[in-house]
Amino acid sequence: MKISKKILSLVIISLISVSIFGCSKTKEDKIKSNSEKYNIYEIKDVKSSDQGITQTIEEVGVFNNMTDASKKYTICKDVLNNENKGKVTVVVKFKVENNNDFAITNYTSVRPFVTNTGEVGDLIEDGTYDVDIDAKQSSEGYAVFNLVKTKVDELNNLKMWWIVSHNNGTESYDDDYCNDNKFNIELK
């Protein structure tokens, strides 16, 4: 009987030790994977070309939080605040090319996008490129959005609207160009 009590005590102590160690390790693993969770997608063949301007979507980064997104992309410190930093962050990297023989002042307005889950992205930054683009030159930048309901692995595609305009190299507003481009971006 003494031997069975000792064996039973050893079994109970072993079970408690294993469960404490196992739970703490599982918790650490979850925190580590959650804080570093992101996907970067290289985008091919998503562009619009009209009136001498070519807009190309080059890359989409989807991050578990804005802090991790700011490690990969240069995100303005003004938008890294407590309200935004814990939200899923989507960064759309783009390139604007001026294929005209004259310099343009290019004004783009990235509108919120709609995800495959039906959520509308909350635009928090888009002015990250040079708006004055010389003839036959280009400028790269990105737009930053937050999502509240959609998780990193749930985002499969997004539909994005982007207004682009330029002044046709003149000072007259009468011949300015403006177009609303639509992009369907498949991520998976």
Side-chain angles (χ1 to χ4, degrees):
M1 203 138 156
K2 289 182 182 181
I3 295 176
S4 63
K5 281 186 181 181
K6 286 183 181 180
I7 293 174
L8 183 59
S9 295
L10 286 173
V11 168
I12 291 173
I13 291 171
S14 297
L15 287 173
I16 291 172
S17 298
V18 168
S19 65
I20 289 172
F21 178 76
C23 288
S24 65
K25 183 157 177 60
T26 304
K27 188 174 182 180
E28 276 181 16
D29 289 345
K30 282 183 181 178
I31 292 169
K32 184 177 179 185
S33 66
N34 283 343
S35 68
E36 297 176 357
K37 191 169 190 174
Y38 65 90
N39 294 322
I40 304 289
Y41 302 97
E42 186 178 331
I43 307 300
K44 296 195 185 287
D45 301 323
V46 177
K47 66 178 158 182
S48 171
S49 189
D50 190 32
Q51 293 288 317
I53 291 182
T54 301
Q55 296 169 279
T56 306
I57 306 297
E58 296 182 326
E59 182 176 280
V60 175
V62 184
F63 297 84
N64 198 37
N65 58 65
M66 188 177 290
T67 304
D68 289 344
S70 69
K71 292 176 187 174
K72 168 83 171 133
Y73 301 97
T74 307
I75 296 176
C76 180
K77 299 275 188 236
D78 294 343
V79 298
L80 279 172
N81 56 41
N82 288 334
E83 180 184 338
N84 293 324
K85 73 178 183 181
K87 295 178 181 176
V88 169
T89 303
V90 178
V91 180
V92 179
K93 184 178 174 188
F94 59 85
K95 182 177 190 178
V96 179
E97 297 172 81
N98 176 13
N99 300 310
N100 293 298
D101 292 327
F102 50 83
I104 63 169
T105 300
N106 180 51
Y107 302 101
T108 61
S109 175
V110 181
R111 293 184 180 179
F113 63 78
V114 179
T115 69
N116 56 287
T117 63
E119 185 172 356
V120 176
D122 180 23
L123 176 67
I124 59 170
E125 183 175 25
D126 71 343
T128 60
Y129 70 101
D130 292 329
V131 294
D132 294 320
I133 305 174
D134 290 330
K136 306 296 184 192
Q137 298 296 312
S138 64
S139 181
E140 292 184 326
Y142 53 84
V144 182
F145 299 87
N146 280 139
L147 298 174
V148 178
K149 300 173 187 171
T150 307
K151 305 225 182 316
V152 172
D153 292 334
E154 294 175 331
L155 188 61
N156 296 327
N157 65 58
L158 51 99
K159 290 180 173 60
M160 191 167 120
W161 293 264
W162 190 350
I163 297 173
V164 64
S165 60
H166 69 74
N167 61 5
N168 283 330
T170 70
E171 293 185 22
S172 170
Y173 294 113
D174 294 336
D175 62 352
D176 285 358
Y177 163 77
C178 184
N179 193 24
D180 189 2
N181 297 318
K182 296 177 177 117
F183 297 97
N184 187 22
I185 304 168
E186 294 293 328
L187 302 177
K188 296 182 181 185

